[in-house]
Every structure is written in C-alpha cells, then in structure tokens.
Amino acid sequence: MREKGLRKEAFKSLDKFLKSSKDWSFDMKIEFVRFLFHYFENVEDADYGPFPQPLNVDLVKPALEEWCSTEQKDHNPFRWYGKYYHSEKHIFKALEVNPADDLARQILLGWWANRINYSIHHLPEFYIGDPIEDIQLEEKIREQIKQLSSPDLRDYWTKEIDEDSELVKNYFDFKNSGHNDFEKWGKENNKQTGYSLTRSYYYEK
C-alpha cells in the first residue's frame, strides 16, 4: 500500500499489527526483531521502507531495550541498538561480547571516519573542527582497523582513512608553518589541500 502511495491505509494496517503485538510474549518480540534486523543487514537499503517510525518506536526499540538489559551472550541486539539508535555504548558492548563482530566495528569506524570527513569537506576554503582532535580520532580508528578479522576489510578501511588523514595532517602542518594561505602552501609544498568529488593534488613539474 505504501508503494502505491496509500500511506494512510498502510499505517492503518501497521497500527493493527502493532496493537496485536501488545499481547506477544518477550520471546515472540525477540523472534520478530531477529527477523527484521537479519533482513536489514542482508538486503541493501532494506531498512528504508520497512522501518517506519511507529514500528521503530512502539515495538522494536522497547523490545531491544528489554533484550539488552538481560542479554549476556548474544552480541547482535547490542549492535542493532547501537546502529539504529546511534549509541556508541551499545556498539562497544557488542564488541565486548564478541570482539570478532566486524559489522559492529565497521559501524563505529563509519561514524568516526565521517567526523573526520566532515572536518575537511570544505577545504581548502576552511577547516571545520580541530585538526589535533581529528588526528587523535584517526589513531583510534587505526586501532579499531587492526582488530577487524577480515584482511579485506582492514585494507578497505585503511585506504578510506589514509585519504582523509593526509588532508588533516597537511592542514595541521600548514597551521604550524605560519603561512596564511592553505592553497598556496599546498602548491609550494606539493601537498594535497582540497577535498571534493575530484581531489586536488599539486605536483612538481
């Protein structure tokens, strides 16, 4: 119904479903949450349509909160709560329960890498944030990369952070140089200064 543009009718059906779930046992709620997130993690963009706000707030979040409050061995609910309710605390708990949970570790890496990317995405015009803090965050990212169980994932994330860390360090060096124009400094020192769809590099002729 939603795909046909019948949003009101779709949410009426969802409301009936949610009312019926009030009578579910805790185990039934866990079973549903497992089904839902397994689907999300195995079908690209699957969480875009089948995770409307009422389902999220009225059923899934309370079920996950109750599950996480008692779970000791299963890392999955902590990863799911961490990802969908943006809680680093829960991601770290998932990794504590299962250090080999590469999905959880990549969520953390994605969040941290995005922070650095946000700082540099307006260069060479201006830097958002503090390059020292970003350098420290980069060190934390590299420690997490080392703990990924897949060599392919380690290579992927290393390349991802290498590109942005180069810009951060270049800007840090520029600030310490006393130069007043980052782009000119880049040309003079053959350093990258821009971050855009096409990265800007300067080379000696």
Side-chain angles (χ1 to χ4, degrees):
M1 285 189 286
R2 287 192 74 190
E3 289 174 353
K4 293 178 181 178
L6 304 174
R7 186 177 184 278
K8 185 179 292 186
E9 291 83 350
F11 275 82
K12 284 182 180 178
S13 293
L14 177 60
D15 185 58
K16 290 180 181 178
F17 172 74
L18 290 173
K19 285 179 179 177
S20 72
S21 72
K22 299 293 184 184
D23 297 326
W24 289 3
S25 67
F26 178 57
D27 287 341
M28 290 174 66
K29 291 177 181 177
I30 287 180
E31 182 180 356
F32 175 74
V33 169
R34 282 190 185 279
F35 154 76
L36 193 67
F37 285 110
H38 178 77
Y39 177 59
F40 289 171
E41 290 185 332
N42 287 279
V43 179
E44 187 174 0
D45 296 328
D47 54 348
Y48 180 73
F51 203 38
Q53 188 73 0
L55 178 64
N56 180 337
V57 173
D58 295 342
L59 175 55
V60 175
K61 187 176 183 181
L64 271 177
E65 287 176 339
E66 185 177 359
W67 190 0
C68 289
S69 70
T70 58
E71 184 58 54
Q72 299 293 326
K73 297 180 179 179
D74 190 344
H75 55 108
N76 289 299
F78 299 105
R79 181 180 71 251
W80 295 331
Y81 192 97
K83 178 179 180 179
Y84 286 94
Y85 302 101
H86 205 88
S87 169
E88 284 192 8
K89 172 185 173 183
H90 284 80
I91 295 296
F92 279 116
K93 180 63 178 180
L95 292 170
E96 178 186 324
V97 175
N98 179 14
D101 186 348
D102 283 350
L103 288 175
R105 204 174 299 281
Q106 287 189 94
I107 293 167
L108 195 62
L109 288 170
W111 289 345
W112 289 355
N114 283 339
R115 289 186 204 170
I116 294 177
N117 181 265
Y118 180 76
S119 290
I120 64 176
H121 78 283
H122 278 299
L123 288 177
E125 287 77 18
F126 56 90
Y127 192 102
I128 302 170
D130 185 337
I132 295 177
E133 291 181 1
D134 288 334
I135 289 171
Q136 293 171 343
L137 183 57
E138 179 210 338
E139 292 172 355
K140 290 172 62 178
I141 290 172
R142 293 192 186 279
E143 284 301 313
Q144 291 296 327
I145 290 173
K146 291 177 184 176
Q147 297 179 66
L148 287 166
S149 60
S150 164
D152 288 342
L153 289 177
R154 290 198 294 271
D155 288 344
Y156 169 80
W157 283 104
T158 297
K159 289 176 183 176
E160 284 289 298
I161 195 61
D162 279 351
E163 291 182 325
D164 288 351
S165 66
E166 179 184 352
L167 261 179
V168 174
K169 289 173 182 175
N170 286 351
Y171 185 81
F172 178 78
D173 290 343
F174 153 72
K175 292 298 288 184
N176 286 335
S177 73
H179 203 295
N180 61 5
D181 188 309
F182 185 39
E183 196 164 13
K184 287 182 179 179
W185 177 90
K187 290 179 179 179
E188 293 167 4
N189 294 276
N190 306 306
K191 298 288 187 178
Q192 176 190 3
T193 63
Y195 182 78
S196 61
L197 292 176
T198 303
R199 289 177 179 265
S200 300
Y201 291 89
Y202 297 109
Y203 299 98
E204 287 185 355
K205 294 182 179 179

